[in-house]
Amino acid sequence: MAPHSHTAHTFQVDLRGLVDLLSHHLYSSPRVYLRELLQNAVDAITARQALDPDAPARITVEAGDGTLAVTDTGVGLSEGDVHSFLATIGRSSKRSADGGLDGTAIASARSEFIGQFGIGLLACFVVADEITVVSRSAARPDAPVVEWCGRADGSYTLRTLPPRAKPEPGTTVRLTPRADGTEWTRHDRVVELARHYGGLLRHEVTVVDARGTATRINRTPPWERRHASPLARREALAEHCRSTFGFTPLDTIELDLPIVGLRGVAHVLPTAVSPSQRAGHRVHLKGMLLSDQASELLPDWAFFVRCVVDTTGLRPTASREALYEDETLGAVRDALGARLRDWLTGLAASDPALLHRFVDIHHLAVKALARHDDALLRMLLPWLPFETTDGNVTLEEFARGHSTILVTRTVEEFRQVAPVAAAAGLGVVNGGYTYDRDLVHRLPEVRPGTLVEDLDPATVTAHLDAVDPAAELAAAPFLTVAREVIGAHDCDVVLRSFQPVTAPALLLDDREARHERTRSELAGAADGLWADILGSLRTETPRARLVLNHLNPLVRRAVTITERGLAGVTAEALYGQALLLTRRPLRAAESALLNRAFLGLLDHAMHDHDAPRGGSATRKEP
């Protein structure tokens, strides 16, 4: 061999390995085999109608005798086509541009084909070891009938049959399932799969059982039918939602983007859902179901609808189970989002009652959208409900009663100050929920003259009245013990008078104070360089404060306790009760405090119960 000579070789394909790759990594389930068969049948009919628009368009699925057969009235295959397309993985007749099946007429209709990758028939090997294809080409009247038999080991045979074997042009694909694939070829399962994948196909699809009983699978989608009245159309769309998703929609929004051949409907959910829950939209490609979990179809904020659409202009992935992310899909997503925004803005003028119901249910979705859409913000922000010291009310209603609106940064801060702020007449909004703080701060844009400020603990403190000096002096022994006990938790104790009387204590504990406590705990547990780093981060942030309410009868009795042990336990109990009112997660030390306070009070109660009548119990100080 010459030094610079080289020999060309052809790649060899291990079909078994390729089928294993398809079944475990490309396709989500063996059930897609029927989708691929229906898809090939639809494309074959499309190709034949490109040559002869009056050609029949029927797909028949026979299931029930241990085998499955799919027959179409499509363009069929010649012997050369079989060698070129059935026996060559990755070559699709729908992508060819140089003669054969994909001649001038068919090439002009190439955009109408569903499949483009040349691997569809391989999906049948996921449930069967042998596939038989009997086909007669529609290219010429005297075309012979060819039979191709492919096996999962990569071998195949081809023979010519007499014309009577298939009198009309078209193709029949027959397969006998393996033992582990019989579940997918039962008649009832085939009907279910055919309806799932082919329910919106344009061509007639029927499933025939072993007795010859035919079941029609597909029908025209309700958005393409003519209805007697708008009310009848609305009810038809609602019934479609009930049969597809299992709920009655709050409303239906029709979708139509002619530029990508997209039509369908968005059904508004009648109940609230989490924004983190990915919506499962049903996307059909030229009638064939592509995915029933296509979350990429709509913007993330549109989690309040479920869509069913049919399109001709979006691209599928190779598995044809999802949409290919490209610029077209991005533009479609933006356009559908704009359609939903138009529906929302239209409700304000056409159906305010429905808008109220929608906002009550899906206010979180509207808040998410309003943050990025100024027009929607100006229109809907006054309608949105927020948690406030006046209850769950709209900002418009709340602003009418409070010239200055105070906003907390966290849910815990709101729960700490809400009872006192409400009694003092302060207008406080809980800004701890998603989007709420940002939106409340934008209220002056919509309602000029409204003042919005972040809540400062000093604002609440200003509404706490000092107690009489004599009462403060009388409570000094108790407060000394309380400050010692509660001070171990980086919290001061003060005595004030405030409303409501029913609140025995108030814990003023902002986020900065909690961060400083966390830093101190970490610094105490660390050593070396890390402890020095944490120490350098120390701030002069004020500690939390436990404010005891001198107007509360229980507190007035508590501050008279002179026994040190009982005073300490009582202070811990008041601190624990104030902690629980914040509803924030408790640290280990705080949980231990609550348990210790409960057991201490129980011990004192039982000791007093067991004391001799007429006498007094004596206890040693701890």
CSV table of all heavy atoms in Angstrom, one decimal, residues 347-382:
chain,number,residue,atom,x,y,z
A,347,LEU,N,-61.4,42.2,30.2
A,347,LEU,CA,-62.4,41.9,31.2
A,347,LEU,C,-62.8,43.1,32.0
A,347,LEU,O,-63.9,43.2,32.5
A,347,LEU,CB,-61.8,40.8,32.1
A,347,LEU,CG,-61.8,39.4,31.7
A,347,LEU,CD1,-61.3,38.5,32.8
A,347,LEU,CD2,-63.2,38.9,31.2
A,348,ALA,N,-61.8,44.0,32.2
A,348,ALA,CA,-62.1,45.2,33.0
A,348,ALA,C,-63.3,46.0,32.4
A,348,ALA,O,-64.1,46.6,33.2
A,348,ALA,CB,-60.9,46.1,33.1
A,349,ALA,N,-63.4,46.0,31.1
A,349,ALA,CA,-64.5,46.8,30.5
A,349,ALA,C,-65.7,45.9,30.2
A,349,ALA,O,-66.8,46.4,30.3
A,349,ALA,CB,-63.9,47.4,29.2
A,350,SER,N,-65.5,44.6,29.8
A,350,SER,CA,-66.6,43.8,29.4
A,350,SER,C,-67.3,43.0,30.5
A,350,SER,O,-68.5,42.8,30.4
A,350,SER,CB,-66.1,42.9,28.3
A,350,SER,OG,-65.2,42.0,28.8
A,351,ASP,N,-66.5,42.6,31.5
A,351,ASP,CA,-67.1,41.7,32.5
A,351,ASP,C,-66.3,41.9,33.8
A,351,ASP,O,-65.6,41.0,34.3
A,351,ASP,CB,-67.0,40.2,32.0
A,351,ASP,CG,-67.9,39.3,32.8
A,351,ASP,OD1,-68.3,39.7,33.9
A,351,ASP,OD2,-68.2,38.2,32.3
A,352,PRO,N,-66.6,43.0,34.5
A,352,PRO,CA,-65.9,43.2,35.8
A,352,PRO,C,-66.1,42.1,36.8
A,352,PRO,O,-65.3,41.9,37.6
A,352,PRO,CB,-66.5,44.6,36.3
A,352,PRO,CG,-67.0,45.2,35.0
A,352,PRO,CD,-67.5,44.1,34.1
A,353,ALA,N,-67.3,41.5,36.8
A,353,ALA,CA,-67.6,40.5,37.8
A,353,ALA,C,-66.7,39.3,37.6
A,353,ALA,O,-66.2,38.7,38.6
A,353,ALA,CB,-69.1,40.0,37.7
A,354,LEU,N,-66.5,38.9,36.3
A,354,LEU,CA,-65.6,37.8,36.0
A,354,LEU,C,-64.1,38.2,36.4
A,354,LEU,O,-63.4,37.4,36.9
A,354,LEU,CB,-65.6,37.4,34.6
A,354,LEU,CG,-64.7,36.3,34.1
A,354,LEU,CD1,-65.0,35.0,34.9
A,354,LEU,CD2,-64.9,36.1,32.6
A,355,LEU,N,-63.8,39.5,36.2
A,355,LEU,CA,-62.4,39.9,36.6
A,355,LEU,C,-62.2,39.8,38.1
A,355,LEU,O,-61.2,39.4,38.5
A,355,LEU,CB,-62.2,41.3,36.1
A,355,LEU,CG,-60.8,41.9,36.5
A,355,LEU,CD1,-59.7,41.1,35.8
A,355,LEU,CD2,-60.8,43.4,36.0
A,356,HIS,N,-63.3,40.2,38.8
A,356,HIS,CA,-63.2,40.0,40.3
A,356,HIS,C,-63.0,38.6,40.7
A,356,HIS,O,-62.1,38.3,41.6
A,356,HIS,CB,-64.5,40.6,41.0
A,356,HIS,CG,-64.4,42.0,41.3
A,356,HIS,ND1,-63.5,42.5,42.2
A,356,HIS,CD2,-65.1,43.1,40.8
A,356,HIS,CE1,-63.7,43.8,42.3
A,356,HIS,NE2,-64.7,44.2,41.5
A,357,ARG,N,-63.7,37.7,40.1
A,357,ARG,CA,-63.6,36.2,40.4
A,357,ARG,C,-62.2,35.7,40.0
A,357,ARG,O,-61.5,35.0,40.8
A,357,ARG,CB,-64.6,35.4,39.7
A,357,ARG,CG,-66.0,35.7,40.2
A,357,ARG,CD,-67.0,34.5,39.9
A,357,ARG,NE,-66.9,34.1,38.5
A,357,ARG,CZ,-67.7,34.6,37.6
A,357,ARG,NH1,-68.5,35.6,37.9
A,357,ARG,NH2,-67.6,34.2,36.3
A,358,PHE,N,-61.7,36.2,38.9
A,358,PHE,CA,-60.4,35.8,38.4
A,358,PHE,C,-59.3,36.3,39.4
A,358,PHE,O,-58.4,35.5,39.8
A,358,PHE,CB,-60.1,36.3,37.0
A,358,PHE,CG,-58.7,36.0,36.5
A,358,PHE,CD1,-58.3,34.8,36.1
A,358,PHE,CD2,-57.8,37.0,36.6
A,358,PHE,CE1,-57.0,34.6,35.7
A,358,PHE,CE2,-56.5,36.8,36.2
A,358,PHE,CZ,-56.1,35.6,35.7
A,359,VAL,N,-59.4,37.5,39.7
A,359,VAL,CA,-58.3,38.1,40.6
A,359,VAL,C,-58.4,37.4,42.0
A,359,VAL,O,-57.3,37.2,42.6
A,359,VAL,CB,-58.5,39.6,40.8
A,359,VAL,CG1,-57.7,40.2,41.9
A,359,VAL,CG2,-58.2,40.3,39.4
A,360,ASP,N,-59.6,37.1,42.5
A,360,ASP,CA,-59.7,36.5,43.8
A,360,ASP,C,-58.9,35.1,43.8
A,360,ASP,O,-58.3,34.7,44.7
A,360,ASP,CB,-61.1,36.2,44.2
A,360,ASP,CG,-61.8,37.5,44.6
A,360,ASP,OD1,-61.1,38.5,44.9
A,360,ASP,OD2,-63.0,37.6,44.6
A,361,ILE,N,-59.0,34.4,42.6
A,361,ILE,CA,-58.4,33.1,42.5
A,361,ILE,C,-57.0,33.2,42.1
A,361,ILE,O,-56.1,32.5,42.7
A,361,ILE,CB,-59.2,32.2,41.5
A,361,ILE,CG1,-60.7,32.0,41.9
A,361,ILE,CG2,-58.5,30.9,41.3
A,361,ILE,CD1,-61.5,31.4,40.9
A,362,HIS,N,-56.6,34.0,41.1
A,362,HIS,CA,-55.3,34.0,40.5
A,362,HIS,C,-54.5,35.3,40.7
A,362,HIS,O,-53.8,35.7,39.9
A,362,HIS,CB,-55.4,33.7,39.0
A,362,HIS,CG,-56.0,32.4,38.7
A,362,HIS,ND1,-55.4,31.2,39.0
A,362,HIS,CD2,-57.2,32.0,38.1
A,362,HIS,CE1,-56.2,30.2,38.6
A,362,HIS,NE2,-57.3,30.6,38.0
A,363,HIS,N,-54.7,35.9,41.9
A,363,HIS,CA,-54.1,37.2,42.1
A,363,HIS,C,-52.6,37.1,42.1
A,363,HIS,O,-51.9,38.0,41.7
A,363,HIS,CB,-54.5,37.8,43.5
A,363,HIS,CG,-54.4,36.9,44.6
A,363,HIS,ND1,-53.2,36.8,45.3
A,363,HIS,CD2,-55.2,36.0,45.2
A,363,HIS,CE1,-53.3,35.9,46.3
A,363,HIS,NE2,-54.6,35.4,46.3
A,364,LEU,N,-52.0,35.9,42.5
A,364,LEU,CA,-50.6,35.7,42.4
A,364,LEU,C,-50.0,35.8,41.0
A,364,LEU,O,-49.0,36.4,40.7
A,364,LEU,CB,-50.2,34.4,43.1
A,364,LEU,CG,-48.6,34.2,43.3
A,364,LEU,CD1,-48.1,35.4,44.2
A,364,LEU,CD2,-48.4,32.9,44.0
A,365,ALA,N,-50.8,35.2,40.1
A,365,ALA,CA,-50.4,35.3,38.6
A,365,ALA,C,-50.4,36.7,38.1
A,365,ALA,O,-49.6,37.2,37.4
A,365,ALA,CB,-51.3,34.3,37.8
A,366,VAL,N,-51.5,37.4,38.5
A,366,VAL,CA,-51.6,38.8,38.1
A,366,VAL,C,-50.5,39.7,38.7
A,366,VAL,O,-50.0,40.5,38.0
A,366,VAL,CB,-53.0,39.3,38.5
A,366,VAL,CG1,-53.2,40.8,38.0
A,366,VAL,CG2,-54.1,38.5,37.8
A,367,LYS,N,-50.2,39.4,39.9
A,367,LYS,CA,-49.1,40.2,40.5
A,367,LYS,C,-47.8,39.9,39.8
A,367,LYS,O,-47.0,40.8,39.5
A,367,LYS,CB,-48.9,39.8,42.0
A,367,LYS,CG,-50.0,40.3,42.9
A,367,LYS,CD,-49.9,39.8,44.3
A,367,LYS,CE,-51.0,40.3,45.2
A,367,LYS,NZ,-50.9,39.8,46.6
A,368,ALA,N,-47.5,38.7,39.4
A,368,ALA,CA,-46.3,38.3,38.7
A,368,ALA,C,-46.3,39.1,37.3
A,368,ALA,O,-45.2,39.6,36.9
A,368,ALA,CB,-46.2,36.8,38.4
A,369,LEU,N,-47.4,39.1,36.7
A,369,LEU,CA,-47.5,39.8,35.4
A,369,LEU,C,-47.4,41.3,35.5
A,369,LEU,O,-46.7,42.0,34.7
A,369,LEU,CB,-48.8,39.4,34.7
A,369,LEU,CG,-49.0,40.1,33.3
A,369,LEU,CD1,-47.9,39.8,32.3
A,369,LEU,CD2,-50.3,39.6,32.7
A,370,ALA,N,-48.0,41.9,36.5
A,370,ALA,CA,-48.1,43.3,36.7
A,370,ALA,C,-46.7,43.9,37.0
A,370,ALA,O,-46.4,45.1,36.7
A,370,ALA,CB,-49.0,43.7,37.9
A,371,ARG,N,-45.8,43.1,37.6
A,371,ARG,CA,-44.4,43.6,37.8
A,371,ARG,C,-43.7,43.9,36.6
A,371,ARG,O,-42.8,44.7,36.6
A,371,ARG,CB,-43.6,42.5,38.6
A,371,ARG,CG,-44.1,42.3,40.0
A,371,ARG,CD,-43.3,41.3,40.7
A,371,ARG,NE,-41.9,41.7,40.9
A,371,ARG,CZ,-40.8,41.0,40.5
A,371,ARG,NH1,-41.0,39.9,39.8
A,371,ARG,NH2,-39.6,41.5,40.8
A,372,HIS,N,-44.1,43.3,35.4
A,372,HIS,CA,-43.4,43.5,34.2
A,372,HIS,C,-44.2,44.2,33.1
A,372,HIS,O,-43.7,44.4,32.0
A,372,HIS,CB,-42.9,42.2,33.7
A,372,HIS,CG,-42.1,41.4,34.7
A,372,HIS,ND1,-40.8,41.7,35.0
A,372,HIS,CD2,-42.4,40.3,35.4
A,372,HIS,CE1,-40.3,40.9,35.9
A,372,HIS,NE2,-41.3,40.0,36.2
A,373,ASP,N,-45.4,44.5,33.4
A,373,ASP,CA,-46.3,45.1,32.4
A,373,ASP,C,-46.9,46.4,33.0
A,373,ASP,O,-47.9,46.3,33.9
A,373,ASP,CB,-47.4,44.1,32.0
A,373,ASP,CG,-48.2,44.6,30.8
A,373,ASP,OD1,-48.7,45.7,30.8
A,373,ASP,OD2,-48.3,43.8,29.9
A,374,ASP,N,-46.4,47.6,32.7
A,374,ASP,CA,-46.9,48.8,33.3
A,374,ASP,C,-48.4,49.1,33.0
A,374,ASP,O,-49.1,49.6,33.9
A,374,ASP,CB,-46.0,50.0,32.8
A,374,ASP,CG,-44.6,49.9,33.3
A,374,ASP,OD1,-44.4,49.2,34.2
A,374,ASP,OD2,-43.7,50.6,32.7
A,375,ALA,N,-48.8,48.8,31.8
A,375,ALA,CA,-50.2,49.0,31.5
A,375,ALA,C,-51.1,48.2,32.4
A,375,ALA,O,-52.1,48.6,32.9
A,375,ALA,CB,-50.5,48.7,30.0
A,376,LEU,N,-50.8,46.9,32.6
A,376,LEU,CA,-51.6,46.0,33.4
A,376,LEU,C,-51.5,46.4,34.9
A,376,LEU,O,-52.4,46.3,35.6
A,376,LEU,CB,-51.1,44.6,33.2
A,376,LEU,CG,-52.1,43.5,33.6
A,376,LEU,CD1,-53.4,43.6,32.8
A,376,LEU,CD2,-51.5,42.1,33.5
A,377,LEU,N,-50.3,46.9,35.3
A,377,LEU,CA,-50.1,47.4,36.6
A,377,LEU,C,-51.1,48.5,36.9
A,377,LEU,O,-51.8,48.5,38.0
A,377,LEU,CB,-48.7,47.8,36.8
A,377,LEU,CG,-48.3,48.5,38.2
A,377,LEU,CD1,-48.2,47.4,39.2
A,377,LEU,CD2,-47.1,49.3,38.1
A,378,ARG,N,-51.1,49.5,36.1
A,378,ARG,CA,-52.0,50.7,36.3
A,378,ARG,C,-53.5,50.3,36.3
A,378,ARG,O,-54.3,50.8,37.1
A,378,ARG,CB,-51.8,51.7,35.2
A,378,ARG,CG,-50.4,52.4,35.4
A,378,ARG,CD,-50.4,53.6,34.4
A,378,ARG,NE,-50.4,53.2,33.0
A,378,ARG,CZ,-49.3,52.9,32.3
A,378,ARG,NH1,-48.1,53.0,32.9
A,378,ARG,NH2,-49.3,52.5,31.1
A,379,MET,N,-53.8,49.3,35.6
A,379,MET,CA,-55.2,48.9,35.5
A,379,MET,C,-55.6,48.0,36.6
A,379,MET,O,-56.7,48.1,37.2
A,379,MET,CB,-55.5,48.2,34.2
A,379,MET,CG,-57.0,47.8,34.0
A,379,MET,SD,-57.2,46.8,32.5
A,379,MET,CE,-56.5,45.2,33.1
A,380,LEU,N,-54.8,47.0,37.0
A,380,LEU,CA,-55.2,46.0,38.0
A,380,LEU,C,-54.7,46.1,39.4
A,380,LEU,O,-55.2,45.5,40.3
A,380,LEU,CB,-54.8,44.6,37.4
A,380,LEU,CG,-55.5,44.2,36.1
A,380,LEU,CD1,-55.0,42.8,35.7
A,380,LEU,CD2,-57.0,44.1,36.3
A,381,LEU,N,-53.6,46.9,39.6
A,381,LEU,CA,-53.0,47.0,40.9
A,381,LEU,C,-54.1,47.4,42.0
A,381,LEU,O,-54.1,46.8,43.1
A,381,LEU,CB,-51.9,47.9,41.0
A,381,LEU,CG,-51.1,48.1,42.3
A,381,LEU,CD1,-50.6,46.7,42.8
A,381,LEU,CD2,-50.0,49.0,42.2
A,382,PRO,N,-54.9,48.4,41.8
A,382,PRO,CA,-55.9,48.7,42.8
A,382,PRO,C,-56.9,47.6,43.1
A,382,PRO,O,-57.5,47.6,44.2
A,382,PRO,CB,-56.6,49.9,42.2
A,382,PRO,CG,-55.7,50.5,41.2
A,382,PRO,CD,-55.0,49.3,40.6
